[in-house]
Amino acid sequence: MLHLQLKRSAVACNVYVSAGLPQYADVLMRLLLETQDQCCRINSRMRQEKNHAVIMLVHAFSDGPYDRSSFHIAGTPHLVADVASRLAKNAIQTLEQEKLTSLCDMSGGVTAHPTVGLVDHVSVLPLPGTDKHHDQGGINQNFGLVASTTSETGKVARQIGDALEVLGVDVLYYGNAHPSQKPLADVRRESTQFFNTSNTHKQDKGKATVGAPEFFTENYNIRLRPGTPKKIAHSLTKHVRERDGGLRFVEALTLPYSQERYEVACNLLNTDVTSMRDIEARLKTWEHAAGDWIETSYRVGTTVQMNLDALAGAQTKMGEESYNQLVRERFHSKIME
């Protein structure tokens, strides 16, 4: 059992890979399994040493129409830096060596998600203390964490960026990893072609935006029905995002999706101010005025509580194995959709 009574901090880390089609299933599953194995070996050693450090692969997600996947890690800061660095480097080396990524065939229903490289984004997120997010079901009993700091998340992001730079990746820092805390959107707009990208950089190392937001960021997508005009989709984007008078701490982008559909991809930069429920309420007001254009909406990635629960579950080998099996099954199912 991991002895976590002495409180330590933890951070979360999302690694975004420019590959998500079923043809990449073997590579993506290998990345997941290797990462889980590394986490298990570390946690086993921590248990033997009665160390309080812990690391988990909390979630993995693959989106075939976007040809994009993400791996979500949480744990003690220095362990997250090591595991995320290895995952990102392995993804780049494997995809580049085997030349598995290629220009998407638009006629086949695959639409490029904006990207600037094989691993185009790594985000290191703060996690709060468990006293602020106590699970009522009891899973977090006897499990204690103090809130991570901006200096910790920034340091982890810089360590991961250093590892990518060794491979020749052009790393662009943002947030608490940037000297002047420049936001991700500004870095993408000023230093990349992210907002008007083609698939060109899906075949090479390219660039990578690596950073640490001030708050834990959640991602939420809204998919519109086939045949929805782009101007309708863009009106929804403007309705929800802060810079057009929408919800505070919400960024949103209109993206083409498969089968002549659009999605509105939202970043919730501070869920203590604007949560997923606030987005859903905003959608209802838009639908009332614009009509029944929304097909579905869904969360992408993790929440604070998901990360805390995963780390609490890793207190025992049995809990860790059970959680890992669930992550594997869900990821494989998603890849093969």
Side-chain angles (χ1 to χ4, degrees), residues 195-268:
F195 293 108
N196 58 348
T197 187
S198 68
N199 285 332
T200 303
H201 294 295
K202 296 172 80 70
Q203 293 181 302
D204 57 37
K205 297 186 185 80
K207 299 180 178 182
T209 49
V210 179
E214 183 177 359
F215 305 107
F216 188 94
T217 299
E218 291 185 17
N219 305 112
Y220 189 77
N221 287 1
I222 307 152
R223 186 178 304 158
L224 301 175
R225 300 185 188 280
T228 300
K230 184 176 182 179
K231 66 178 182 180
I232 294 293
H234 193 56
S235 74
L236 175 57
T237 300
K238 296 174 69 174
H239 189 72
V240 297
R241 69 185 176 195
E242 181 176 22
R243 71 183 177 94
D244 288 303
L247 296 167
R248 291 184 61 204
F249 292 101
V250 173
E251 298 174 336
L253 185 65
T254 307
L255 299 175
Y257 199 62
S258 64
Q259 301 175 4
E260 299 183 352
R261 293 175 293 181
Y262 286 97
E263 281 199 341
V264 176
C266 303
N267 292 334
L268 282 63

Side-chain angles (χ1 to χ4, degrees), residues 149-190:
T149 65
T150 55
S151 62
E152 286 178 310
T153 56
K155 180 180 179 180
V156 171
R158 297 290 302 198
Q159 290 173 324
I160 297 170
D162 288 345
L164 295 181
E165 286 178 337
V166 171
L167 296 182
V169 178
D170 182 8
V171 176
L172 304 170
Y173 293 105
Y174 72 90
N176 290 308
H178 190 280
S180 58
Q181 289 77 49
K182 183 175 289 188
L184 173 61
D186 290 351
V187 172
R188 282 174 165 169
R189 188 173 294 108
E190 296 171 9

Side-chain angles (χ1 to χ4, degrees), residues 56-110:
M56 284 287 284
L57 177 62
V58 177
H59 178 66
F61 182 82
S62 184
D63 196 324
Y66 283 144
D67 194 20
R68 184 176 175 87
S69 298
S70 57
F71 299 88
H72 304 261
I73 301 164
T76 307
H78 75 278
L79 296 180
V80 170
D82 291 343
V83 171
S85 294
R86 179 173 177 178
L87 169 60
K89 290 192 298 181
N90 285 348
I92 290 173
Q93 291 171 329
T94 301
L95 293 172
E96 186 179 47
Q97 179 182 357
E98 300 188 19
K99 301 181 186 289
L100 288 174
T101 50
S102 60
L103 294 178
C104 291
D105 178 6
M106 297 300 289
S107 65
V110 178

Side-chain angles (χ1 to χ4, degrees), residues 199-336:
N199 285 332
T200 303
H201 294 295
K202 296 172 80 70
Q203 293 181 302
D204 57 37
K205 297 186 185 80
K207 299 180 178 182
T209 49
V210 179
E214 183 177 359
F215 305 107
F216 188 94
T217 299
E218 291 185 17
N219 305 112
Y220 189 77
N221 287 1
I222 307 152
R223 186 178 304 158
L224 301 175
R225 300 185 188 280
T228 300
K230 184 176 182 179
K231 66 178 182 180
I232 294 293
H234 193 56
S235 74
L236 175 57
T237 300
K238 296 174 69 174
H239 189 72
V240 297
R241 69 185 176 195
E242 181 176 22
R243 71 183 177 94
D244 288 303
L247 296 167
R248 291 184 61 204
F249 292 101
V250 173
E251 298 174 336
L253 185 65
T254 307
L255 299 175
Y257 199 62
S258 64
Q259 301 175 4
E260 299 183 352
R261 293 175 293 181
Y262 286 97
E263 281 199 341
V264 176
C266 303
N267 292 334
L268 282 63
L269 304 180
N270 185 346
T271 55
D272 286 338
V273 177
T274 300
S275 67
M276 186 180 74
R277 291 183 180 179
D278 296 319
I279 292 282
E280 291 172 342
R282 190 77 170 175
L283 296 185
K284 292 180 180 179
T285 65
W286 180 83
E287 280 189 301
H288 181 74
D292 185 23
W293 295 102
I294 296 176
E295 179 179 289
T296 188
S297 57
Y298 59 99
R299 175 186 283 118
V300 180
T302 67
T303 65
V304 165
Q305 193 63 55
M306 285 175 64
N307 285 281
L308 297 181
D309 288 349
L311 294 177
Q315 291 181 90
T316 66
K317 183 178 180 180
M318 182 178 297
E320 181 182 30
E321 290 176 347
S322 176
Y323 192 95
N324 284 343
Q325 179 65 28
L326 184 61
V327 171
R328 287 193 295 270
E329 291 174 353
R330 288 177 174 173
F331 189 53
H332 184 267
S333 176
K334 194 67 181 174
I335 293 173
M336 302 311 295

